[in-house]
Amino acid sequence: YQRRVHGESSDPEWTSVTSLSLKRMLPSLLFGCRRSASISSHVCRLFCSKLAMRRGAEADNSNNSKSESAAPTTSSPSAAAASSSPSAEAPQKKPAILIAVRKDGSFISNTANLLNQKSNSQISAQLAAFSDVTASSSGGSCSGGGANQKKKDVAFAARVVYPQIDGEIRAVAVVQLAAGGVSATATDDDDPNDADSATAATTSITPTTNPSSTTTTTTTTTTTTTSATACSATSTTGSNKIKSAYDAVSAVRSAVLSGVSMLDSLGATSIEVDAMGMPQIAAESAHEAVYRFDELKQKKRSTITVSMLADGPSTDAQAWTTGAILSRSHSLMRRLADLPANYITPHQFASEAAQALDSLPVAVVAHDKAWAKHKGMGAFLAVAQGSAEEPVFLQMSYMGAPKSSEDESQVRRICLVGKGVTFDTGGISIKPSNNMHDMKTDMTGAAMVVAAIQATAALNLPINIVGLTPLVENMPSHTAVKPGDVVRAMDGTTIEILNTDAEGRLILADALLYSRNFSPHTIIDMATLTGAIRMALGNAAAGIFSPDDCLVAELDSAANAAGERLWRMPLFPEYEKDLKSKVADLTNVAYSSSGGGASVAATFLRRFVKKTPNAPVRWAHLDIAGISFSQNQATGRGLRTLIQWLRTTAAAEQQKSA
């Protein structure tokens, strides 16, 4: 250690690794922490992994040197050309690999099994050397290292081994999934149409061509029986079948995230990922693991590329491509939420959204303050009046369904409405200073709408969507709205503002009213609306509020298929009484706190969901405040549920029109 740290080694990588490891050990050694042993094990594993990778590289160089020295001095022109090629002088570094095994040690896919055969079963042999592979804590070995993680129902252990594959030492991360995970539902790669296949249980991908471009994209057909117009009116929460699908997706997602992160920590810059029976989920998770927000840092981390491990069926390649497309939208949503508030003002948000949708068949219109005033959006403008930043009402339209009528009122549309408070101080009812910096993420609902429309257009789904995102800053100033002020919404409803920190429902009220102009058959709004939902559900699930049982069942099914959770919350009539005002039509919060804050907020929004001229509109509200942010970074959770529902609805609409 001392030789490496004090400069006796010329390898800066070893020096930095040793310094980092010693820094992690030092607090435990000084204070006698009981975790010192496990931290020492971590250091040992880290050094062993680095040592194995280094020895592998040295062995490669040695083999090449021997082969070059053993070559005859005279050779044919072709041989001379080969010896002078770049690949002969400097062998290309092979990508690291991520594969999965079941709890019994069998490989999830034929591809992984083939890889084991190519290594002359070294992978199995090295795994067998770890007797504690499923334990919650472990030591290390100079033949490989890794880290274990333990989760209820989706427990797995992860190791990095270094077998020789086709004559070259490769870093292979092996993640082991417990029973009830992939092994319960996923099948081998050679049988993608198996009825128990996880991919067959969610969606199948059919290539199509976008009529507005020459790029080949994908649309989806689904095997689920849920449609946009009919359902069993029974939520699928708790169903054994749905729970099994959720567990399988969660197991793969957790495994890929852990394995890719492990290889990243060992310095891998290119990783090939086993499809694990769920190529779309594997692709989404692999790209999620390599996401990093460092564009504002001077020193940026190296980029990691991920790809699917070869030799899988063509259907896996198509599903992987779909997962990669969806991951780009997932990263877009996270990046928008991660940007500091001075980089993502209402106008800057609109500019970022327009840029993200520029190459897609999406019409983007940014309405200004004068337009909103002309429309009578008093609730929306009231929130914005305390800030020097002008508000923006962003409207995005994607019309992917075949046009069946010239009458615009007959065109079936879905409206997605997202809360876009680019920074929320609370206004005059100012928030505590602790963690106020996290309020830059109060526009996550708007970011989700932009990302969902981007994914829908990229997949060329046959569906019509209008996205509406009211964008404001909520700031205290001499021009800010005050507690007790009364404002008038777009339909004339007067609202007494008792708390200026309950601003999200005000801007959503005008957005929901404006959505009526498009005669949607379904409206879904999403917002980091209340702290009460975080108190109720923590970060385990988003709250869903809706009077429509069918819509709740559809969204709940989509959430399980995407490996996410929704939990239905009540809209009892008692909550309406909490919104009665003495001076206006209603208040924005209850006069006296009687609890149920998330349901009271949803009840407020329900007042502004009006019937369309053609039929009653279906409406759901998603409160994502508890799941949108973790460890000072945006999570992007909730987006996959929304996209899965849009894909299912698009397939149902297409089937209905046929």
Side-chain angles (χ1 to χ4, degrees):
Y1 283 4
Q2 288 179 344
R3 286 203 309 270
R4 297 297 184 187
V5 172
H6 293 294
E8 296 182 30
S9 168
S10 60
D11 187 342
E13 181 183 25
W14 276 92
T15 302
S16 62
V17 169
T18 309
S19 300
L20 175 62
S21 303
L22 289 176
K23 286 177 182 177
R24 290 177 177 173
M25 283 182 61
L26 195 57
S28 296
L29 297 176
L30 289 176
F31 297 106
C33 176
R34 290 190 303 171
R35 294 183 62 233
S36 60
S38 63
I39 294 179
S40 300
S41 297
H42 170 75
V43 175
C44 180
R45 288 197 303 272
L46 187 63
F47 267 84
C48 290
S49 299
K50 288 284 185 181
L51 180 61
M53 295 181 77
R54 188 180 183 88
R55 285 176 176 172
E58 290 173 351
D60 275 352
N61 293 334
S62 175
N63 290 336
N64 279 285
S65 298
K66 290 179 181 178
S67 62
E68 289 177 4
S69 61
T73 55
T74 60
S75 61
S76 64
S78 59
S83 64
S84 62
S85 65
S87 59
E89 294 176 2
Q92 297 295 315
K93 184 179 179 181
K94 294 292 186 180
I97 297 172
L98 171 61
I99 60 176
V101 295
R102 298 185 178 94
K103 193 172 183 180
D104 61 4
S106 62
F107 292 99
I108 297 295
S109 68
N110 283 347
T111 301
N113 188 45
L114 178 62
L115 196 68
N116 187 48
Q117 294 173 7
K118 287 184 177 181
S119 69
N120 296 321
S121 300
Q122 288 186 43
I123 296 176
S124 296
Q126 292 187 47
L127 284 176
F130 296 112
S131 59
D132 61 345
V133 71
T134 57
S136 60
S137 62
S138 64
S141 167
C142 282
S143 62
N148 284 325
Q149 295 192 23
K150 187 174 182 182
K151 292 186 178 182
K152 187 177 180 181
D153 296 331
V154 290
F156 61 90
R159 292 287 186 209
V160 176
V161 297
Y162 299 91
Q164 282 198 358
I165 301 173
D166 294 332
E168 295 191 48
I169 293 180
R170 304 280 290 274
V172 180
V174 184
V175 287
Q176 186 181 53
L177 290 87
V182 168
S183 56
T185 55
T187 59
D188 287 341
D189 287 344
D190 61 347
D191 190 11
N193 297 318
D194 192 297
D196 293 331
S197 172
T199 41
T202 54
T203 56
S204 58
I205 314 302
T206 306
T208 61
T209 301
N210 189 334
S212 62
S213 71
T214 58
T215 303
T216 299
T217 57
T218 57
T219 59
T220 63
T221 57
T222 178
T223 59
T224 182
T225 57
T226 304
S227 72
T229 55
C231 70
S232 62
T234 303
S235 175
T236 54
T237 300
S239 161
N240 289 335
K241 182 178 180 181
I242 295 299
K243 184 179 185 300
S244 178
Y246 170 83
D247 287 346
V249 171
S250 297
V252 171
R253 198 178 298 286
S254 298
V256 174
L257 286 171
S258 175
V260 172
S261 298
M262 184 190 310
L263 291 171
D264 178 16
S265 69
L266 295 178
T269 57
S270 180
I271 304 173
E272 294 180 343
V273 180
D274 179 13
M276 301 186 192
M278 294 185 178
Q280 178 185 318
I281 302 300
E284 293 176 8
S285 305
H287 286 89
E288 179 182 351
V290 300
Y291 167 84
R292 55 196 52 163
F293 182 78
D294 59 3
E295 61 186 80
L296 302 180
K297 294 183 178 181
Q298 287 185 320
K299 186 177 181 181
K300 297 175 173 57
R301 295 175 63 187
S302 59
T303 302
I304 301 175
T305 59
V306 292
S307 58
M308 189 179 74
L309 192 60
D311 299 326
S314 59
T315 51
D316 277 7
Q318 293 173 349
W320 178 278
T321 300
T322 299
I325 291 173
L326 299 181
S327 70
R328 285 198 291 271
S329 298
H330 191 260
S331 296
L332 169 65
M333 175 182 170
R334 295 180 71 185
R335 177 181 172 274
L336 290 175
D338 279 332
L339 281 168
N342 60 323
Y343 281 81
I344 196 74
T345 64
H347 279 276
Q348 288 169 322
F349 184 101
S351 177
E352 291 279 356
Q355 183 177 351
L357 301 172
D358 182 55
S359 60
L360 298 168
V362 180
V364 181
V365 180
H367 299 293
D368 60 9
K369 179 179 178 180
W371 175 89
K373 188 174 182 179
H374 175 72
K375 292 292 183 181
M377 295 183 174
F380 167 57
L381 293 174
V383 177
Q385 70 187 47
S387 174
E389 294 289 343
E390 292 285 305
V392 176
F393 194 97
L394 189 63
Q395 177 180 324
M396 298 155 285
S397 302
Y398 167 72
M399 306 297 287
K403 197 168 185 178
S404 58
S405 173
E406 295 298 328
D407 185 358
E408 281 295 314
S409 64
Q410 299 299 317
V411 176
R412 292 179 59 80
R413 294 182 180 88
I414 293 171
C415 266
L416 303 179
V417 181
K419 173 186 172 184
V421 180
T422 58
F423 193 78
D424 181 19
T425 65
I428 297 298
S429 306
I430 197 164
K431 295 177 180 290
S433 60
N434 290 341
N435 299 321
M436 189 192 285
H437 58 275
D438 288 343
M439 288 299 100
K440 67 178 184 177
T441 65
D442 213 17
M443 34 59 68
T444 304
M448 186 186 295
V449 171
V450 175
I453 291 178
Q454 185 198 55
T456 302
L459 292 173
N460 193 31
L461 296 185
I463 196 171
N464 299 325
I465 301 177
V466 175
L468 304 174
T469 61
L471 303 167
V472 297
E473 280 188 346
N474 185 24
M475 303 290 286
S477 74
H478 67 287
T479 61
V481 67
K482 303 173 290 297
D485 285 359
V486 175
V487 298
R488 192 178 300 272
M490 188 177 171
D491 67 342
T493 300
T494 54
I495 306 167
E496 182 184 7
I497 300 177
L498 299 180
N499 188 327
T500 64
D501 194 24
E503 83 297 333
R505 63 200 72 181
L506 295 175
I507 66 174
L508 288 175
D510 275 334
L512 290 170
L513 289 169
Y514 181 69
S515 70
R516 192 168 59 165
N517 293 328
F518 305 99
S519 301
H521 61 77
T522 304
I523 301 174
I524 299 178
D525 75 73
M526 52 227 69
T528 49
L529 199 63
T530 66
I533 199 67
R534 188 184 298 110
M535 296 296 293
L537 302 177
N539 63 357
I544 179 172
F545 303 79
S546 177
D548 192 299
D549 292 337
C550 289
L551 183 56
V552 171
E554 292 172 21
L555 287 165
D556 184 52
S557 178
N560 280 284
E564 297 181 332
R565 286 195 183 101
L566 297 178
W567 191 262
R568 191 174 190 179
M569 301 291 287
L571 289 170
F572 297 138
E574 287 80 358
Y575 299 127
E576 296 180 7
K577 299 177 183 178
D578 291 335
L579 295 173
K580 287 186 177 180
S581 170
K582 296 179 175 63
V583 298
D585 294 324
L586 73 163
T587 61
N588 70 331
V589 295
Y591 267 108
S592 58
S593 178
S594 55
S599 291
V600 171
T603 300
F604 177 92
L605 295 179
R606 187 181 181 184
R607 289 283 298 266
F608 298 94
V609 179
K610 306 294 184 179
K611 293 182 179 180
T612 63
N614 298 328
V617 64
R618 306 193 313 163
W619 164 76
H621 161 61
L622 304 180
D623 195 336
I624 58 174
I627 65 171
S628 64
F629 203 65
S630 176
Q631 299 178 351
N632 296 320
Q633 193 173 52
T635 64
R637 291 171 61 188
L639 176 64
R640 294 188 178 109
T641 294
L642 183 59
I643 294 175
Q644 178 65 30
W645 178 80
L646 289 170
R647 297 174 72 188
T648 302
T649 303
E653 292 280 331
Q654 191 175 37
Q655 184 178 7
K656 181 180 177 181
S657 61

